[in-house]
Amino acid sequence: MYKISEVSKLVDLTIPTLRYYEELGMIQPKRNKNGYREFSEQDLEWIQFIIRLKQTGMELSEIQKYARLRDLGDQTIEARMALLDAQEELLLSKKLEIEKHIHFLKEKQLVYQNMLRKRN
């Protein structure tokens, strides 16, 4: 079992962020007899999963939905997959947009390279 301060260091999130995630219902650490949060290895893995979802750009509201579905058990696997699929589609769309920007820059660079060649 881990204390919140240990988890904070292990996952590189602040203690207030971990408390906020708990307030949002995204994490649910157990409490010891003194009322202190205790995190299990599974909690730690789940927090790391949340971090990865955030890194994909998933909104906290969507992560909350995912967490609620996860709490309901395996009968929600399809719904959870739908959330992941939607996020993947969003990322693929952004990737396409970035590729278009890169293409634009490369085209402009070619124009300048041709201009330089003609000067020399």
Side-chain angles (χ1 to χ4, degrees):
M1 298 302 276
Y2 300 93
K3 293 188 253 178
I4 195 168
S5 59
E6 295 169 317
V7 172
S8 173
K9 289 176 186 155
L10 288 169
V11 299
D12 197 28
L13 290 177
T14 65
I15 291 173
T17 298
L18 290 168
R19 289 181 178 144
Y20 181 60
Y21 287 179
E22 182 181 8
E23 184 181 313
L24 293 177
M26 292 169 27
I27 60 175
Q28 300 171 8
K30 304 285 185 259
R31 300 279 183 151
N32 67 16
K33 63 182 177 179
N34 295 322
Y36 293 111
R37 292 169 184 86
E38 290 186 330
F39 294 82
S40 68
E41 198 65 43
Q42 291 81 12
D43 292 326
L44 202 56
E45 290 172 14
W46 171 239
I47 292 167
Q48 290 167 333
F49 183 76
I50 290 170
I51 291 167
R52 288 303 306 267
L53 289 178
K54 281 201 46 69
Q55 289 170 343
T56 72
M58 187 177 278
E59 299 287 335
L60 283 180
S61 61
E62 293 299 297
I63 297 172
Q64 281 179 283
K65 286 180 195 175
Y66 191 100
R68 281 193 298 272
L69 291 167
R70 177 181 175 261
D71 290 342
L72 293 173
D74 288 350
Q75 68 269 23
T76 66
I77 288 174
E78 290 166 340
R80 286 184 269 165
M81 284 179 58
L83 288 172
L84 297 176
D85 290 343
Q87 190 62 27
E88 180 184 15
E89 285 299 316
L90 181 66
L91 287 174
L92 290 171
S93 173
K94 287 181 179 184
K95 178 183 174 187
L96 183 60
E97 184 178 328
I98 289 170
E99 287 171 349
K100 287 178 184 177
H101 293 317
I102 290 170
H103 179 74
F104 164 77
L105 294 173
K106 288 194 177 296
E107 290 292 318
K108 191 61 175 178
Q109 289 170 333
L110 284 173
V111 168
Y112 286 139
Q113 287 170 0
N114 288 334
M115 290 171 70
L116 286 172
R117 272 191 220 108
K118 288 179 183 175
R119 259 189 9 189
N120 295 332

